Each structure stands twice: as structure tokens, then as C-alpha cells.
Amino acid sequence: MQTLQPNTLLQGGRYKIIKTLGQGGFGITYLAIQSGLEREVAVKEFFMKEFCERDSATSHVTLGMETSRDMVKRFRAKFIKEARNIAKLNHPNIVRIIDVFEENGTAYYVMEYAKGGSLGEKLRKKGSFSKSIATRYITQVAEAVGYIHQRKMNHLDIKPDNIMLSGDDNVILIDFGLSKQYDATTGSQTSSTPVGISEGYAPIEQYQIGGVASFTPETDIYALGATYFKMLTGITPPSAPSLLEDGVSIESLKAKRVSKNVVDTILHSMYSKKKDRFHSIEDFLQGLRDYSNSNKVKSLISDKEEMLVLNEKVLTFNINGVSFEMVRIDSGSFFMGATSDMEETEEELEECEYIVQSIYEKPIHKVTLCNYYIGRTVVTQKMWTAIMGANPSKFRGANKPVENISWSDCLVFISKLNALTGKVFRLPTEAEWEFAARGGNLSRHYRYSGSDTLANVAWCDITSEYDTTSDVAKKQPNELGLYDMSGNVYEWCSDWYGDYSCIAQHNPMGAKYGESRVARGGSWLDASVLCRISSRSCFSADTKDYFIGLRLALSE
């Protein structure tokens, strides 16, 4: 018998054991009744199952063989020290210690009882959580961890099974058995007990001797990211050693339609090297705030309802009997360029005779944009004709994209449109175009605009039946309700073409001068690699061809 039996009394009847809640390598947790206050509590008993034994008649615990007795005594002392350290903490999302005592040859501490069970149990039943619920839970855990970090303490074992839920569905961080306290001045550990490892949640430094000898917020931040990943996907992350080469895969996050802000938060928490992770809980929480601010409505609604909300962000114009729509793009930040989901496949390299397109899409850099509007579709031939009085296109069709127009022709068209509407339409910047193509703040990190399957969203060399453009809005839209941002026709942007910079930028306008103008999106005659969202092309401003058109933008 390893566990105490139901109705066992402790402390002279002050606590009565009801049942066993769980057992780990270092202890057993019970549900008990505190007799004086007649309330349920959780009692944790120090019991190293590999070394301790219990007398079934007396419940007395012996500390194993002579060779291991000193080690077990050290851990029992740490167990008591853990209880006393936790008792000094006062945070709504950290378990509250009620009592600590020694009895039956071992040690116990008494905690408030979390009636909602653990996040681990809930995940095993539900599979995963919605983005809004997972974000609320992980925010509360992060705030608790930030509190202990202020006191130079690392938890070192954050995972769903160590996060409990109160009766009102708020989280309670428990199990500080592996935690370490560090000297407030030097940052060095004040104990030398071994560091445990929870596979999937422990970063690489916990596998290394001396890896957490100094206070390091990044270690717990890794575990927060891993726990967030688990809550969103239902999948336990791979162990840290297996991630050294390729890092965290985002495919399972993409399958759950998780926004880019969330993916970025998880990736920046779970980098293998500490120097690449968030360096404080405040940084981690800021990533969550960026997500929450950009998803105030989205996090609580279904995909069908989401499209209704998007429709409320549309401006409709009617010019000379032709209507067109401009979709509002909420302000946000993203990483521009050849992110990991944009790198060429072997097949794409063969298509392009091993010309690596993505070298022109680097370095990846952070871009922040203000609100703006962009056309739901490219400008059609009927719209161009309504403004200009003539149709220059080679492939005729009222609902086909206008093409065979130069960058300079676009400026003339826009000038006339502005005179008719009193608005200030313009070409989108290259950054605005890419952010919109990626789905803005609703991005699901697709390779092409709206899907990872090219045929679903793009008219291009391998998906078009005929050697011609196609009517707009016949394929599925992207997350923002925008059509044909991959394939059909290239779309002129306002920027001069120039090399990217690694420096973070706010509303970038592109190079100050150059020889050609940016065009994005690929066309009906292009290979799939040129239809990737991050793919860049350029043409001289006077180029006219039957594969280049335009999409309008409008500042808010």
C-alpha cells in the first residue's frame, strides 16, 4: 500500500482523508476535510515512490534503503521549505498554503482545494481549448509566474497538470516541488537539488548540468509557450532536444486557425536559445495583449459570424453605375518576408530551375501598420472603363481584371477616381499589400492568400484551364474576404523596388528611389512559387503587359 486510505485522520483528527487525487514522483495529493471549518482541502504528502515505503497498519513512512536515506531526507527538507516559501506568496492565481506539519515519519502541507480539477484533466476530456479561453488561462498563469519572478523564484515545472481550476474557472498554479529560489543580489541559486524535467515543457537548459544555476525568466517562459501550444492544439510539444534543429512546427496551430500574433508569441517563447526568447513575463504578456487587442470581436465568434463582422468593415462605392468594395484592414504588426511557411519547396525550385526567389524576400523584418482600406478585388475592366472611357486589356471581359496598364496609367486612373469621389484612393504600399494578403490580424498563416492549396485561391500556370485571365472573385477569398491576391494578375504597389532591411518599421513606404516599381501576387501564367504571399516582383513604371493590373488602397 502506497497511499493513505479513506477516513485516515491526520493531526489528531483535524484533517480526514477522503480520497487520493494523484501521485507523482515526489508526493501524493489527497482530498481531505478540514474538520474545524468543515471545508474541502488538498493535502500533499511527501512520498518518493521509488524510495519510500509505508507500513499498512500504522501508515508510517520509512525513507527507503540506507544508501538513499540521506538523499530522501534532503528532498523532504526541500518539500517543507517549498511549503513555507509558497505560504509567503500572495497572488490570486497561486495556490494558498493553509498548514504544514510532520507526521507518520514524513511531511505534509495543506492547500486550498481547486474544485475545477486540473487543466490537464480538462484537456484530456475536451482535446483543446478555443483561442479566447486558452489565452485567458495562459494570461492568468503568466501573471502568477511574473509575481514569483519578481521574488527571484523560478517554478521550473509549468504544465497543464500543474495548473488547477477554481470553482469560478480561474487558474491556480500549483506544485512548486521543482522550483528554485535565487539570491536577490547575485541571482545564484540558494539550493542545489537536482532539476526535474517534464518532457515537452522543459527547455533545453533544464537538460543541462548547471543550466538553471542562475535566475532566468526565459526558462519558465518556454514552459508558458509550450503550455499555450498544448491548450490550443491538444498536442504535447516535442521534447526540447528534438527541437534544436528545426524549432516548433506551426502546422498544428495553422490547422486550428490560430492568428499570427498567437503563433509569434508561442514561437518567441519556445526558441531553443534563451537569448532568442522573450526576456520577461511583461514581454510575453505584451504578445498576448497584441493578440487580444486585434481580436476583441473575433475571439468570441464563429467563422460564419466572423464574415458578418468583416462585412461591417466594408465601404461600398458606386461610380457611373459600377460598384466596388473596399475592406477595412485593422492596424497590426507582422513579420514581412520569407517566413518559414514561405520557403520554397523542392518542387517549386525545380519549376523555377533552382532560382531561389526567397533571397529577395529577406531579411524578415517586423512591420507595424495603421488602419487602411484595400479593394476586395482587383480593379475590373468595367470599373476601369467607367472611369477612363476605354479598355486597354488584351483578355476582354467586364469582370476580368483590367491589365495591359502601366504603373503610370494607374496614377492617371486614380486621379480621375479621386476627382469623382472626393476621396484619396492610391496604390497600396508593398507592406500593406502583404499584410492584407496574409489575412491581417486574422491570418491563419497560409502559404497562398487564403489557403495552402493553390488551386483553391489562385489562377496560375498550374490551375488555369486557359491561357488567359479569369473573372475576379471566382476562387475562395482569404481570411479578410479578399479575392485573387495570389495569381490572376500581378498588382502594382506604390513602392520603388529595393532591398529589405532587418530593422522594424512603422508604415514603411519602400525604397526612396529605384529603377522599377513593386508588383505582387503572381499571375495566370506564373509558377506556384511566384504566387506565394511573400514573393516579390518588379517592373519599370512604363511596363504594360497582359498580366499586370492593380488593386486600390485608401487611408482611413
Side-chain angles (χ1 to χ4, degrees), residues 196-491:
I197 292 172
S198 291
E199 295 286 350
Y201 303 98
I204 193 65
E205 61 264 25
Q206 282 188 240
Y207 289 77
Q208 301 165 341
I209 297 174
V212 291
S214 299
F215 175 66
T216 170
E218 294 87 351
T219 300
D220 282 342
I221 288 170
Y222 181 100
L224 284 171
T227 299
Y228 197 20
F229 180 96
K230 172 73 172 184
M231 285 195 283
L232 290 164
T233 66
I235 300 169
T236 302
S239 66
S242 68
L243 296 178
L244 284 173
E245 197 66 34
D246 299 318
V248 179
S249 169
I250 64 171
E251 293 305 312
S252 53
L253 291 168
K254 288 168 64 176
K256 292 292 183 177
R257 299 177 174 180
V258 173
S259 74
K260 186 178 189 306
N261 301 71
V262 172
V263 173
D264 287 344
T265 299
I266 291 172
L267 291 179
H268 279 79
S269 302
M270 295 185 66
Y271 282 126
S272 293
K273 295 179 180 178
K274 286 193 290 186
K275 68 180 181 65
D276 295 329
R277 297 178 210 150
F278 291 124
H279 299 307
S280 70
I281 292 298
E282 181 54 39
D283 290 342
F284 178 85
L285 287 171
Q286 185 58 52
L288 298 182
R289 291 186 196 108
D290 290 343
Y291 161 69
S292 298
N293 289 339
S294 63
N295 292 272
K296 288 177 182 176
V297 178
K298 178 178 180 290
S299 62
L300 300 175
I301 57 179
S302 67
D303 283 350
K304 185 176 180 181
E305 290 169 323
E306 182 177 296
M307 290 309 298
L308 294 176
V309 172
L310 289 177
N311 288 336
E312 294 176 0
K313 296 182 177 182
V314 174
L315 297 178
T316 302
F317 296 87
N318 194 301
I319 307 296
N320 296 334
V322 177
S323 63
F324 64 97
E325 294 180 332
M326 302 293 291
V327 178
R328 185 177 188 267
I329 312 299
D330 290 336
S331 62
S333 299
F334 73 109
F335 285 92
M336 187 172 178
T339 47
S340 58
D341 46 351
M342 297 293 166
E343 295 286 356
E344 295 99 329
T345 64
E346 192 67 28
E347 293 79 7
E348 287 173 336
L349 287 173
E350 289 180 8
E351 275 187 274
C352 288
E353 299 180 348
Y354 286 88
I355 298 172
V356 180
Q357 300 291 326
S358 62
I359 61 173
Y360 304 108
E361 304 156 27
K362 294 178 179 177
I364 300 165
H365 53 291
K366 187 174 183 179
V367 169
T368 300
L369 297 172
C370 294
N371 300 334
Y372 62 100
Y373 287 85
I374 199 164
R376 188 183 290 283
T377 69
V378 291
V379 172
T380 60
Q381 292 176 31
K382 65 181 178 182
M383 182 180 170
W384 183 277
T385 304
I387 304 300
M388 302 293 285
N391 183 0
S393 305
K394 176 179 180 179
F395 302 115
R396 295 301 179 94
N399 289 314
K400 286 187 174 187
V402 68
E403 25 85 2
N404 204 29
I405 52 172
S406 68
W407 187 88
S408 302
D409 290 337
C410 293
L411 298 191
V412 176
F413 168 80
I414 290 171
S415 176
K416 291 186 175 184
L417 176 63
N418 289 343
L420 288 170
T421 62
K423 300 292 184 180
V424 186
F425 289 98
R426 55 182 174 80
L427 291 172
T429 66
E430 184 176 17
E432 288 174 333
W433 189 96
E434 184 168 323
F435 187 52
R438 285 177 178 270
N441 294 318
L442 306 183
S443 177
R444 293 168 185 167
H445 308 280
Y446 293 130
R447 185 172 182 77
Y448 311 105
S449 186
S451 179
D452 285 327
T453 303
L454 186 60
N456 291 346
V457 294
W459 301 107
C460 67
D461 182 42
I462 63 172
T463 65
S464 298
E465 278 188 63
Y466 309 105
D467 292 337
T468 179
T469 57
S470 298
D471 283 0
V472 302
K474 292 299 184 182
K475 297 281 188 174
Q476 72 184 38
N478 77 352
E479 300 93 318
L480 293 168
L482 307 176
Y483 292 89
D484 302 303
M485 296 197 81
S486 289
N488 216 354
V489 291
Y490 279 101
E491 301 175 23

Side-chain angles (χ1 to χ4, degrees), residues 112-130:
E112 60 183 339
Y113 174 57
K115 296 184 178 181
S118 74
L119 276 182
E121 292 169 344
K122 193 169 183 177
L123 278 168
R124 285 187 280 275
K125 291 176 183 176
K126 291 180 63 67
S128 62
F129 300 143
S130 70

Side-chain angles (χ1 to χ4, degrees), residues 9 28 51 65 394 529:
L9 301 177
I28 306 170
F51 302 100
M65 303 294 290
K394 176 179 180 179
V529 69

Side-chain angles (χ1 to χ4, degrees), residues 17 27 34 48-49 52 58 77 190 241 305 343 482 491 503 528:
I17 301 299
Q34 187 179 13
M48 294 181 72
K49 63 181 180 180
C52 294
T58 66
T190 56
E305 290 169 323
E343 295 286 356
L482 307 176
E491 301 175 23
I503 299 172
S528 60

Side-chain angles (χ1 to χ4, degrees), residues 4 8-17 30 32-34 41-46 76 79-81 83-84 97-111:
L4 293 173
T8 299
L9 301 177
L10 297 172
Q11 290 289 280
R14 187 175 181 185
Y15 305 105
K16 183 171 76 172
I17 301 299
Y30 305 92
I33 294 292
Q34 187 179 13
V41 293
V43 175
K44 187 168 183 179
E45 177 186 51
F46 176 76
R76 186 176 69 179
F79 180 89
I80 296 170
K81 182 180 179 181
R84 290 171 178 160
I97 300 296
I98 297 167
D99 199 0
V100 60
F101 56 89
E102 295 183 67
E103 191 171 339
N104 294 329
T106 189
Y108 300 84
Y109 62 78
V110 184
M111 305 169 280

